[in-house]
Amino acid sequence: MVIEVLREESGRELAASARFTGQEFDWEQHNAQFRKDYAETLLRDLLTYARKLYGLQNLDEVRDRRAAHKATRTGRLNALNGLSTTDDLDTDEEFEVDMEEDINLDD
């Protein structure tokens, strides 16, 4: 859970930075690399990163942030499900990755 919150938060920052500079951000590449880089990181170190980088002081706050991420993703999915086939949808890599996570990483 902690690694997924850190992955999502860092990805959002990098995606926003890329949009600001007119670059593309590859969520799939970010997700794969992040998980590879931090898969063996100790929980206490991940929690230290969460506290220092995102102000998340404990597991309860991390859990709340994860719930917020899931709520955002659910809102996007609900919006997508509510669109008709004639509606114009601008899907980006973040949305596609979020959908993949709902299917594969439901924790």
Side-chain angles (χ1 to χ4, degrees):
M1 172 183 63
V2 178
I3 196 169
E4 291 305 308
V5 167
L6 291 171
R7 178 202 52 78
E8 179 76 17
E9 291 293 326
S10 66
R12 288 178 181 202
E13 286 182 356
L14 292 169
S17 178
R19 276 191 304 275
F20 182 75
T21 60
Q23 299 174 345
E24 296 217 11
F25 180 71
D26 186 338
W27 271 97
E28 283 187 36
Q29 181 182 3
H30 168 73
N31 291 342
Q33 189 63 50
F34 192 93
R35 289 176 180 133
K36 179 181 172 188
D37 290 346
Y38 292 96
E40 302 299 321
T41 304
L42 297 174
L43 177 60
R44 73 167 186 259
D45 294 336
L46 292 173
L47 286 171
T48 297
Y49 299 148
R51 182 177 43 78
K52 287 183 178 180
L53 298 171
Y54 304 108
L56 303 172
Q57 300 300 316
N58 54 51
L59 278 176
D60 288 334
E61 290 184 14
V62 171
R63 202 171 285 116
D64 290 345
R65 184 69 57 93
R66 182 70 174 150
H69 290 164
K70 286 186 174 189
T72 299
R73 186 169 39 256
T74 299
R76 288 181 188 147
L77 289 172
N78 289 341
L80 176 63
N81 290 334
L83 294 176
S84 72
T85 57
T86 60
D87 289 329
D88 186 23
L89 178 64
D90 181 21
T91 58
D92 61 11
E93 289 82 5
E94 177 181 2
F95 184 77
E96 292 168 6
V97 168
D98 285 346
M99 287 178 38
E100 175 185 305
E101 286 178 4
D102 273 348
I103 294 167
N104 297 325
L105 296 176
D106 204 18
D107 49 37

